[in-house]
Amino acid sequence: MIHEILPVGMLQCNCSILGDETSREAIVVDPGADIQRIQEVLKRHSLTVKQIVITHAHIDHIAGAAKLKALTGAPVLYNPKDLPLVKMMDLQAAWLGIPTPDVQAPDDTLEEGRVIGVTGLSGQILHTPGHTEGSVCLHIPDQNLLIAGDTLFAGSVGRVDLPGGDGPTLIRSIHTKLMTLPEETVVVPGHGPNTTIGEEKENNPFLQ
Ligand SMILES: [Zn+2]
């Protein structure tokens, strides 16, 4: 599998580009900004985007989705429980002091247990509410990989003080959905460096 992680935008959201070497089909997760750079990576690997997956509807993760869809024709998938955050996009833009991006309702939904993928590459959606109500993680068991959005970070967990956030719900999601994965699973958080489930189980101060 091809996997490139591109920190995009002013908040350096980790955008993952996941591609299959044989079919050259790809999934782009969280194209929050810098769509031109994302397209350059896709071109370098001769990849065609088939799905745009959004872990949650915070502006730094979703703002570039409509633009990437317009350029590639790929559908945008996210959990509709985050639609209240989409309705607040002007407020989210004001927090960052940037123009309000064009953000549409999802073309398809990401619910617990949903299997998504492209030719040669598939993963399962884990619904992990807490950072937002619609937050999801993408688990790719074949690759021992978890794309975690803002649910789990190296040594930390997602903030819960924004609209839709809830602390106890977040910790419950992490314990029941993520800490039950194999310890060697590599975690790609929504911001910052990678970690593993085993490392966080042992050392994350929020999970002790
Ligand atoms: Zn977030």
Side-chain angles (χ1 to χ4, degrees), residues 36 39 44 56 59 62 76 124:
Q36 194 178 335
Q39 283 210 295
R44 175 152 51 80
H56 64 291
I59 189 167
I62 201 171
V76 176
Q124 192 172 23

PDB file of all heavy atoms in Angstrom, residues 36 39 44 56 59 62 76 124:
ATOM      1  N   GLN A  36      -3.712  21.545  -3.755  1.00  0.00           N
ATOM      2  CA  GLN A  36      -2.724  21.435  -4.843  1.00  0.00           C
ATOM      3  C   GLN A  36      -1.588  20.480  -4.463  1.00  0.00           C
ATOM      4  O   GLN A  36      -1.166  19.645  -5.262  1.00  0.00           O
ATOM      5  CB  GLN A  36      -2.173  22.814  -5.186  1.00  0.00           C
ATOM      6  CG  GLN A  36      -1.425  22.817  -6.501  1.00  0.00           C
ATOM      7  CD  GLN A  36      -0.913  24.191  -6.884  1.00  0.00           C
ATOM      8  OE1 GLN A  36      -1.462  25.216  -6.450  1.00  0.00           O
ATOM      9  NE2 GLN A  36       0.143  24.231  -7.670  1.00  0.00           N
ATOM     10  N   GLN A  39      -2.819  16.986  -4.643  1.00  0.00           N
ATOM     11  CA  GLN A  39      -2.885  16.528  -6.039  1.00  0.00           C
ATOM     12  C   GLN A  39      -1.507  16.181  -6.592  1.00  0.00           C
ATOM     13  O   GLN A  39      -1.362  15.253  -7.392  1.00  0.00           O
ATOM     14  CB  GLN A  39      -3.540  17.604  -6.884  1.00  0.00           C
ATOM     15  CG  GLN A  39      -5.050  17.630  -6.699  1.00  0.00           C
ATOM     16  CD  GLN A  39      -5.735  18.095  -7.944  1.00  0.00           C
ATOM     17  OE1 GLN A  39      -5.551  19.244  -8.331  1.00  0.00           O
ATOM     18  NE2 GLN A  39      -6.488  17.229  -8.588  1.00  0.00           N
ATOM     19  N   ARG A  44       2.204  12.102  -8.503  1.00  0.00           N
ATOM     20  CA  ARG A  44       3.525  11.458  -8.403  1.00  0.00           C
ATOM     21  C   ARG A  44       3.398   9.941  -8.330  1.00  0.00           C
ATOM     22  O   ARG A  44       4.236   9.209  -8.843  1.00  0.00           O
ATOM     23  CB  ARG A  44       4.243  12.024  -7.167  1.00  0.00           C
ATOM     24  CG  ARG A  44       5.570  11.387  -6.830  1.00  0.00           C
ATOM     25  CD  ARG A  44       6.494  12.376  -6.108  1.00  0.00           C
ATOM     26  NE  ARG A  44       5.887  13.044  -4.962  1.00  0.00           N
ATOM     27  CZ  ARG A  44       5.753  12.490  -3.752  1.00  0.00           C
ATOM     28  NH1 ARG A  44       6.185  11.268  -3.529  1.00  0.00           N
ATOM     29  NH2 ARG A  44       5.208  13.174  -2.768  1.00  0.00           N
ATOM     30  N   HIS A  56     -14.026  13.880  10.828  1.00  0.00           N
ATOM     31  CA  HIS A  56     -15.019  14.681  11.543  1.00  0.00           C
ATOM     32  C   HIS A  56     -15.062  16.060  10.903  1.00  0.00           C
ATOM     33  O   HIS A  56     -14.144  16.451  10.181  1.00  0.00           O
ATOM     34  CB  HIS A  56     -14.714  14.766  13.038  1.00  0.00           C
ATOM     35  CG  HIS A  56     -13.430  15.468  13.366  1.00  0.00           C
ATOM     36  ND1 HIS A  56     -12.200  14.946  13.074  1.00  0.00           N
ATOM     37  CD2 HIS A  56     -13.191  16.667  13.954  1.00  0.00           C
ATOM     38  CE1 HIS A  56     -11.251  15.786  13.487  1.00  0.00           C
ATOM     39  NE2 HIS A  56     -11.833  16.837  14.022  1.00  0.00           N
ATOM     40  N   ILE A  59     -13.268  22.294  10.686  1.00  0.00           N
ATOM     41  CA  ILE A  59     -12.867  22.992   9.467  1.00  0.00           C
ATOM     42  C   ILE A  59     -11.476  22.570   8.973  1.00  0.00           C
ATOM     43  O   ILE A  59     -11.257  22.445   7.769  1.00  0.00           O
ATOM     44  CB  ILE A  59     -12.944  24.522   9.705  1.00  0.00           C
ATOM     45  CG1 ILE A  59     -12.752  25.291   8.409  1.00  0.00           C
ATOM     46  CG2 ILE A  59     -11.967  24.967  10.793  1.00  0.00           C
ATOM     47  CD1 ILE A  59     -13.136  26.767   8.533  1.00  0.00           C
ATOM     48  N   ILE A  62     -12.041  19.224   7.034  1.00  0.00           N
ATOM     49  CA  ILE A  62     -13.055  19.082   5.967  1.00  0.00           C
ATOM     50  C   ILE A  62     -13.009  20.205   4.925  1.00  0.00           C
ATOM     51  O   ILE A  62     -13.601  20.066   3.849  1.00  0.00           O
ATOM     52  CB  ILE A  62     -14.482  19.005   6.598  1.00  0.00           C
ATOM     53  CG1 ILE A  62     -15.482  18.364   5.643  1.00  0.00           C
ATOM     54  CG2 ILE A  62     -14.957  20.363   7.094  1.00  0.00           C
ATOM     55  CD1 ILE A  62     -16.833  18.065   6.258  1.00  0.00           C
ATOM     56  N   VAL A  76     -17.667  12.405  -1.175  1.00  0.00           N
ATOM     57  CA  VAL A  76     -17.199  12.783   0.168  1.00  0.00           C
ATOM     58  C   VAL A  76     -18.027  12.012   1.194  1.00  0.00           C
ATOM     59  O   VAL A  76     -19.255  12.050   1.165  1.00  0.00           O
ATOM     60  CB  VAL A  76     -17.354  14.306   0.391  1.00  0.00           C
ATOM     61  CG1 VAL A  76     -16.956  14.679   1.819  1.00  0.00           C
ATOM     62  CG2 VAL A  76     -16.533  15.082  -0.632  1.00  0.00           C
ATOM     63  N   GLN A 124     -12.276  -0.561   7.847  1.00  0.00           N
ATOM     64  CA  GLN A 124     -13.530  -0.561   8.575  1.00  0.00           C
ATOM     65  C   GLN A 124     -13.660   0.741   9.370  1.00  0.00           C
ATOM     66  O   GLN A 124     -12.689   1.228   9.952  1.00  0.00           O
ATOM     67  CB  GLN A 124     -13.579  -1.757   9.518  1.00  0.00           C
ATOM     68  CG  GLN A 124     -14.967  -1.972  10.088  1.00  0.00           C
ATOM     69  CD  GLN A 124     -15.055  -3.267  10.877  1.00  0.00           C
ATOM     70  OE1 GLN A 124     -14.045  -3.779  11.354  1.00  0.00           O
ATOM     71  NE2 GLN A 124     -16.263  -3.791  11.025  1.00  0.00           N
TER      72      GLN A 124
END
